[in-house]
PDB file of all heavy atoms in Angstrom:
ATOM      1  N   PRO A  31      -0.140  -2.170  -8.794  1.00 77.00           N
ATOM      2  CA  PRO A  31      -0.269  -3.602  -9.108  1.00 77.00           C
ATOM      3  C   PRO A  31       1.130  -4.131  -9.693  1.00 77.00           C
ATOM      4  O   PRO A  31       1.943  -3.328 -10.213  1.00 77.00           O
ATOM      5  CB  PRO A  31      -1.264  -3.672 -10.124  1.00 77.00           C
ATOM      6  CG  PRO A  31      -1.234  -2.321 -10.710  1.00 77.00           C
ATOM      7  CD  PRO A  31      -0.964  -1.384  -9.674  1.00 77.00           C
ATOM      8  N   ASN A  45       7.173  -4.617  -3.182  1.00 90.00           N
ATOM      9  CA  ASN A  45       8.000  -5.546  -2.255  1.00 90.00           C
ATOM     10  C   ASN A  45       8.544  -4.717  -1.094  1.00 90.00           C
ATOM     11  O   ASN A  45       8.645  -5.168  -0.089  1.00 90.00           O
ATOM     12  CB  ASN A  45       8.899  -6.200  -3.020  1.00 90.00           C
ATOM     13  CG  ASN A  45       8.404  -7.328  -3.932  1.00 90.00           C
ATOM     14  OD1 ASN A  45       7.244  -7.833  -3.654  1.00 90.00           O
ATOM     15  ND2 ASN A  45       8.975  -7.779  -4.915  1.00 90.00           N
ATOM     16  N   ALA A  52       5.897  -5.492   7.349  1.00 95.00           N
ATOM     17  CA  ALA A  52       6.376  -6.653   8.088  1.00 95.00           C
ATOM     18  C   ALA A  52       7.290  -6.308   9.289  1.00 95.00           C
ATOM     19  O   ALA A  52       7.312  -7.022  10.220  1.00 95.00           O
ATOM     20  CB  ALA A  52       6.898  -7.735   7.192  1.00 95.00           C
ATOM     21  N   PRO A  55       7.311  -0.810  13.013  1.00 93.00           N
ATOM     22  CA  PRO A  55       6.125  -0.672  13.918  1.00 93.00           C
ATOM     23  C   PRO A  55       5.140   0.484  13.532  1.00 93.00           C
ATOM     24  O   PRO A  55       3.960   0.361  13.822  1.00 93.00           O
ATOM     25  CB  PRO A  55       6.797  -0.164  15.247  1.00 93.00           C
ATOM     26  CG  PRO A  55       8.162  -0.685  15.122  1.00 93.00           C
ATOM     27  CD  PRO A  55       8.558  -0.593  13.744  1.00 93.00           C
ATOM     28  N   LEU A  58       2.529  -1.282  11.471  1.00 91.00           N
ATOM     29  CA  LEU A  58       1.746  -2.359  12.207  1.00 91.00           C
ATOM     30  C   LEU A  58       0.346  -2.275  12.017  1.00 91.00           C
ATOM     31  O   LEU A  58      -0.231  -1.225  12.262  1.00 91.00           O
ATOM     32  CB  LEU A  58       2.122  -2.406  13.631  1.00 91.00           C
ATOM     33  CG  LEU A  58       1.631  -3.462  14.374  1.00 91.00           C
ATOM     34  CD1 LEU A  58       2.274  -4.835  13.968  1.00 91.00           C
ATOM     35  CD2 LEU A  58       1.858  -3.251  15.878  1.00 91.00           C
ATOM     36  N   ALA A  60      -1.320  -2.354   9.179  1.00 93.00           N
ATOM     37  CA  ALA A  60      -1.748  -1.863   7.804  1.00 93.00           C
ATOM     38  C   ALA A  60      -2.035  -3.059   6.869  1.00 93.00           C
ATOM     39  O   ALA A  60      -1.317  -4.190   6.997  1.00 93.00           O
ATOM     40  CB  ALA A  60      -0.586  -1.080   7.188  1.00 93.00           C
ATOM     41  N   HIS A  66      -5.536  -0.856  -9.538  1.00 69.00           N
ATOM     42  CA  HIS A  66      -5.252  -0.220 -10.846  1.00 69.00           C
ATOM     43  C   HIS A  66      -6.556   0.395 -11.346  1.00 69.00           C
ATOM     44  O   HIS A  66      -7.581  -0.243 -11.142  1.00 69.00           O
ATOM     45  CB  HIS A  66      -4.758  -1.400 -11.741  1.00 69.00           C
ATOM     46  CG  HIS A  66      -4.342  -0.915 -13.164  1.00 69.00           C
ATOM     47  ND1 HIS A  66      -5.311  -0.623 -14.188  1.00 69.00           N
ATOM     48  CD2 HIS A  66      -3.233  -0.635 -13.585  1.00 69.00           C
ATOM     49  CE1 HIS A  66      -4.744  -0.222 -15.190  1.00 69.00           C
ATOM     50  NE2 HIS A  66      -3.411  -0.210 -14.939  1.00 69.00           N
ATOM     51  N   LEU A  70      -7.818  -3.475 -11.588  1.00 55.00           N
ATOM     52  CA  LEU A  70      -7.982  -3.981 -10.267  1.00 55.00           C
ATOM     53  C   LEU A  70      -8.782  -2.866  -9.380  1.00 55.00           C
ATOM     54  O   LEU A  70      -8.230  -1.947  -8.811  1.00 55.00           O
ATOM     55  CB  LEU A  70      -6.597  -4.155  -9.624  1.00 55.00           C
ATOM     56  CG  LEU A  70      -5.808  -5.301  -9.984  1.00 55.00           C
ATOM     57  CD1 LEU A  70      -4.442  -5.366  -9.377  1.00 55.00           C
ATOM     58  CD2 LEU A  70      -6.519  -6.643  -9.644  1.00 55.00           C
TER      59      LEU A  70
END
Side-chain angles (χ1 to χ4, degrees):
N45 289 336
L58 185 66
H66 185 278
L70 288 172

